[in-house]
């Protein structure tokens, strides 16, 4: 309790009604639009109960209480009871107009002092929006100064605060006495110690809610996910609802992902590092003016997967999934801005060029940003823009498109990417032209695979990766001909495929840990039933089944001594 009201933080975590509001796409999209950022995370929600006789809420700004170093924060303040006009006792929020841009106030006066006692004189206007009905909402920036009068009647309100997904946590945020106020400590103390300051991060307590981001849960380390999958299979209504809430950050009925940490043999299972990363963004946000082209108007989604290798490969795959969506969105926004002056064929061509360039740019940015030495990562993606679906692949992961016949239940793979292996004739030629070599295994039954290597001045081998293309591996990529360029970027017109009304289309991305164990022909029907068969399993249990099946195959082939990390993501491609 404070001097002026009761405050309950983060009701969204345990109250379904609050969660439906705080994580709603409508609210999150509005936050991203008003902040002018491509993605936002839910920072917190707050229920405020002001009772008759409670004192005034002093002038304050929300961002000063938060652990982030950012100006990109916004709060939606929603009435849960009618608020009368200020003259008759209304206690809605009062705002100091323009205070969010008053950099001089904290710079010259610190965080408190005499100047804060004369804000009505400092600002030419303070405003309010009373009277307000139940459900009316005011919206203010994180640094906007606001207050509320002493309560005459009871007042309850619900506030939801969003922040730019790229906002970084300050170094001092976990300290008991930081530069900001400590009121929000009750809200962020549960997660602040688990994230690194000045770094991009993902944490379920502060989820990215726009665009809708799905990230695979690990079937080895995530016990809550395993329990939820068991409940999902039970068919019990209450259990199924609870399971879907646990799994909602990794999958729904129409899109989702699962991962399984491997067993590399050198460590205990609990100490293994999963080097795979994957994300589904749906919708995939492309900001900018209207293009006049249906290609960019609706059904935009992105599936992206990276399979890290060598030391710190997981850093590169995480960097890929964090940064490439923004790089790609910027490039597509450029195409979108000129679309009205282009033919559809030109739009398609420039879109595919943008995808290829994004692979190059993420590699360049990683080279400049990530401290060497570093490993590398494959990169495979599917991008849907309206009726078109595009695919690109760099490395030995795989993406494919498949159809499901609603009348017969038949599944057909209609497109698959190539795995970039160094022994392929064109790949080997490029590697040797650059100065590298392809080392073939002496014994084909040994389980070893061809690798890209170089020889240093002492006659020692270096390199040794099993793919001919990757993001990263900057220590030797130039010398050995390892390129970040996708081997091809292709597009499929989905409208032609579904024209008959019989077929549904879906996309899958998976790493070689999955495809080394299972054929694509084994994978596609399982996913199709999870996506489209009304009597079939949930998509998330279908993905679990695929990884468990692949795990069994690895254990059979290696005597349970080795298993690669395995990740698979899938989505229906609806028009």
């Amino acid at each position: 309790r404070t001097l002026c009201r009761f405050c309950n933080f983060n009701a969204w975590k345990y109250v379904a009604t609050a969660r439906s509001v705080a994580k709603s796409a409508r609210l999150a999209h509005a936050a991203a639009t008003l902040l002018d950022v491509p993605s936002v995370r839910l920072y917190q929600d707050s229920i405020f109960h002001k009772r008759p006789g409670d004192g005034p809420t002093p002038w304050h700004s929300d961002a000063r209480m938060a652990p982030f170093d950012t100006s990109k924060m916004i709060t939606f303040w929603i009435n849960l009871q009618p608020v009368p006009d200020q003259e008759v006792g209304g206690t809605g929020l009062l705002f100091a107009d323009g205070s969010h841009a008053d950099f001089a106030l904290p710079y010259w006066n610190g965080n408190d002092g005499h100047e804060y006692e004369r804000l009505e004189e400092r600002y030419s206007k303070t405003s309010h929006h009373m009277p307000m009905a139940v459900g009316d909402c005011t919206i203010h920036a994180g640094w906007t100064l606001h207050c509320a009068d002493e309560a005459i009647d009871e007042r309850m309100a619900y506030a939801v605060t969003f922040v730019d997904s790229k906002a970084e946590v300050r170094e001092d945020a976990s300290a008991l006495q930081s530069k900001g106020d400590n009121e929000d400590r009750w809200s962020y103390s549960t997660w602040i110690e688990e994230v690194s300051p000045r770094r991009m991060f993902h944490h379920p307590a502060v989820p990215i809610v726009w665009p809708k981001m799905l990230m695979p849960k690990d079937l080895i380390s995530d016990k809550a996910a395993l329990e939820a999958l068991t409940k999902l299979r039970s068919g019990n209504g209450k259990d199924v609802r609870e399971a879907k809430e646990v799994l909602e950050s990794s999958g729904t009925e129409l899109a989702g992902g699962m991962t399984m940490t491997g067993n590399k043999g050198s460590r205990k299972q609990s100490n293994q590092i999963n080097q795979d990363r994957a994300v589904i963004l749906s919708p995939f946000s492309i900001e900018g003016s209207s293009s006049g082209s249906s290609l960019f108007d609706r059904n935009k989604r992105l599936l992206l997967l990276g399979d890290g290798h060598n030391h710190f490969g997981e850093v590169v795959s995480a960097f890929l999934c964090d940064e490439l969506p923004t790089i790609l969105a910027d490039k597509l926004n450029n195409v979108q801005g000129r679309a009205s002056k282009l033919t559809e064929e030109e739009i398609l061509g420039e879109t595919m060029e943008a995808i290829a360039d994004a692979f190059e740019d993420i590699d360049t940015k990683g080279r400049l940003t990530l401290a060497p030495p570093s490993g590398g990562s494959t990169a495979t993606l599917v991008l849907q823009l309206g009726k078109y679906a595009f695919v690109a692949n760099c490395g030995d992961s795989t993406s494919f498109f498949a159809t499901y016949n609603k009348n017969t239940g038949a599944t057909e793979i209609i497109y698959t990417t190539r795995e970039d292996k160094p022994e392929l004739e064109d790949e080997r030629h490029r590697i040797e032209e650059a100065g590298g070599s392809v080392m073939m295994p002496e014994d084909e039954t040994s389980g070893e695979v061809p690798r890209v290597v170089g020889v240093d001045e002492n006659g020692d081998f270096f390199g040794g990766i099993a793919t001919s293309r990757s993001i990263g591996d900057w220590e030797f990529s130039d010398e050995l001909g390892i390129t970040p360029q996708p081997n091809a970027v292709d597009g499929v017109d989905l409208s032609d495929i579904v024209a008959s009304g019989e077929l549904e289309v879906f996309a899958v991305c998976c790493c070689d840990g999955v495809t080394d164990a299972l054929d694509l022909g084994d994978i596609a029907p399982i996913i199709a039933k999870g996506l489209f068969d009304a009597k079939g399993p949930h998509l998330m249990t279908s993905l679990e089944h695929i990884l468990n099946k692949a795990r069994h195959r690895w254990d059979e082939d290696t005597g349970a001594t080795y298993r690669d990390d395995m990740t698979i993501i899938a989505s229906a491609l609806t028009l």
Side-chain angles (χ1 to χ4, degrees):
R1 179 181 174 181
T2 70
L3 295 176
C4 54
R5 75 254 192 261
F6 280 113
C7 177
N8 185 296
F9 286 119
N10 296 320
W12 72 268
K13 294 182 180 179
Y14 51 88
V15 178
T17 304
R19 182 162 51 252
S20 68
V21 175
K23 300 184 76 174
S24 70
R26 185 177 182 184
L27 218 59
H29 187 201
T33 301
L34 292 169
L35 291 175
D36 192 26
V37 296
S39 60
V40 294
R41 67 173 75 246
L42 172 60
Y43 166 45
Q44 65 182 21
D45 67 355
S46 313
I47 298 174
F48 295 107
H49 181 197
K50 201 159 192 177
R51 304 151 302 176
D54 279 346
T57 304
W59 288 104
H60 66 283
S61 59
D62 298 337
R64 183 169 155 181
M65 303 176 186
F68 303 103
D69 181 2
T70 186
S71 296
K72 299 287 189 176
M73 177 179 285
I74 196 167
T75 295
F76 294 73
W77 196 88
I78 306 168
N79 293 314
L80 301 181
Q81 291 178 304
V83 177
D85 208 334
Q86 185 183 23
E87 286 73 20
V88 293
T91 57
L93 298 186
L94 306 175
F95 302 98
D97 291 0
S99 57
H100 68 289
D102 186 1
F103 302 106
L105 178 66
Y107 186 85
W108 296 116
N109 301 280
N111 289 331
D112 50 34
H114 176 68
E115 193 64 16
Y116 287 86
E117 298 173 3
R118 52 186 299 276
L119 295 178
E120 290 88 345
E121 299 173 45
R122 183 180 183 93
Y123 300 109
S124 59
K125 180 183 178 184
T126 59
S127 64
H128 66 79
H129 299 275
M130 296 175 274
M132 301 173 72
V134 173
D136 281 352
C137 176
T138 60
I139 308 169
H140 59 272
W143 287 105
T144 297
L145 288 164
H146 55 286
C147 68
D149 290 336
E150 178 181 358
I152 297 175
D153 298 315
E154 183 178 57
R155 185 261 280 164
M156 295 191 70
Y158 180 59
V160 186
T161 301
F162 301 92
V163 66
D164 181 6
S165 67
K166 293 188 178 297
E168 298 174 343
V169 169
R170 305 189 316 274
E171 294 90 340
D172 72 320
S174 61
L176 187 57
Q177 295 295 329
S178 68
K179 293 180 180 178
D181 293 333
N182 283 318
E183 181 176 315
D184 280 8
R185 179 168 297 280
W186 294 102
S187 172
Y188 62 75
S189 62
T190 58
W191 58 266
I192 193 69
E193 299 286 354
E194 298 174 9
V195 304
S196 299
R198 304 298 176 187
R199 292 282 299 274
M200 278 286 294
F201 70 93
H202 296 286
H203 196 286
V206 274
I208 293 175
V209 288
W210 184 268
K212 179 66 175 178
M213 177 178 288
L214 302 176
M215 302 181 70
K217 291 187 180 295
D218 198 310
L219 294 176
I220 295 296
S221 61
D222 196 326
K223 305 305 180 187
L226 290 172
E227 292 175 4
L229 289 165
T230 300
K231 289 182 177 181
L232 199 56
R233 289 191 298 270
S234 72
N236 177 280
K238 181 175 182 292
D239 285 348
V240 169
R241 287 193 298 272
E242 291 177 352
K244 288 181 178 180
E245 289 181 4
V246 173
L247 298 170
E248 68 173 354
S249 62
S250 59
T252 65
E253 287 83 356
L254 293 177
M258 280 288 169
T259 188
M260 181 181 287
T261 301
N263 175 18
K264 308 298 178 59
S266 60
R267 301 181 179 184
K268 294 180 180 179
Q269 182 67 70
S270 60
N271 295 329
Q272 297 281 344
I273 297 174
N274 189 335
Q275 295 190 297
D276 293 350
R277 297 293 186 272
V279 65
I280 300 174
L281 297 173
S282 182
F284 176 49
S285 181
I286 304 172
E287 302 299 331
S289 59
S290 177
S291 64
S293 169
S294 61
L295 183 63
F296 294 92
D297 286 348
R298 57 192 175 87
N299 294 335
K300 298 185 285 286
R301 55 177 56 87
L302 175 70
L303 287 72
L304 176 62
L305 181 146
D307 177 359
H309 53 256
N310 288 353
H311 292 300
F312 304 112
E314 69 278 5
V315 175
V316 181
S317 60
F319 183 79
L320 168 78
C321 290
D322 285 341
E323 299 291 338
L324 188 136
T326 301
I327 292 173
L328 179 58
D330 287 344
K331 292 183 177 297
L332 293 175
N333 185 40
N334 183 39
V335 178
Q336 176 180 353
R338 297 181 294 104
S340 61
K341 301 176 181 179
L342 303 174
T343 66
E344 186 158 314
E345 184 177 350
E346 289 172 331
I347 294 172
L348 295 175
E350 292 203 14
T351 298
M352 289 189 279
E353 287 180 17
I355 295 171
D357 289 346
F359 277 61
E360 293 267 14
D361 287 0
I362 189 67
D363 185 75
T364 300
K365 186 172 183 178
R367 188 188 293 261
L368 298 173
T369 305
L370 301 179
S374 65
S377 174
T378 67
T380 192
L381 71 76
V382 169
L383 171 68
Q384 182 184 1
L385 296 175
K387 69 176 184 176
Y388 288 102
F390 303 90
V391 63
N393 188 64
C394 170
D396 56 6
S397 294
T398 299
S399 291
F400 68 86
F401 298 133
T403 60
Y404 172 77
N405 190 303
K406 291 180 283 188
N407 297 328
T408 67
T411 303
E412 180 184 359
I413 296 173
I414 58 174
Y415 181 92
T416 182
T417 58
R418 184 189 77 172
E419 291 189 19
D420 295 319
K421 299 293 189 181
E423 66 270 25
L424 296 174
E425 183 177 352
D426 59 331
E427 297 296 275
R428 185 168 192 159
H429 177 74
R430 191 193 72 253
I431 290 165
E432 291 175 348
E433 283 283 308
S437 300
V438 177
M439 179 180 288
M440 303 296 291
E442 295 181 1
D443 181 1
E444 295 184 359
T445 65
S446 65
E448 272 298 315
V449 295
R451 296 183 180 276
V452 182
V453 298
V455 181
D456 64 21
E457 58 188 14
N458 298 318
D460 297 323
F461 291 112
F462 64 94
I465 66 171
T467 179
S468 54
R469 296 172 187 254
S470 77
I471 309 298
D473 296 306
W474 299 293
E475 290 179 279
F476 51 78
S477 58
D478 294 338
E479 295 178 67
L480 303 186
I482 306 297
T483 176
Q485 297 173 344
N487 60 61
V489 180
D490 288 314
V492 174
D493 187 338
L494 300 175
S495 62
D496 290 342
I497 299 169
V498 302
S500 68
E502 295 180 349
L503 300 179
E504 300 280 7
V505 188
F506 61 100
V508 178
C509 303
C510 52
C511 64
D512 66 334
V514 177
T515 56
D516 284 350
L518 301 176
D519 294 332
L520 299 186
D522 296 327
I523 296 170
I526 299 173
I527 292 177
K529 287 186 177 297
L531 284 170
F532 306 117
D533 189 339
K535 297 181 179 179
H538 192 280
L539 173 62
M540 298 305 287
T541 58
S542 296
L543 297 173
E544 177 196 27
H545 175 57
I546 289 169
L547 293 190
N548 282 332
K549 188 174 182 180
R551 178 181 186 172
H552 180 69
R553 186 69 54 80
W554 274 102
D555 289 348
E556 278 187 339
D557 292 346
T558 69
T561 60
Y562 181 87
R563 182 183 70 252
D564 200 359
D565 300 326
M566 298 185 293
T567 300
I568 184 167
I569 56 176
S571 176
L573 301 180
T574 54
L575 293 182

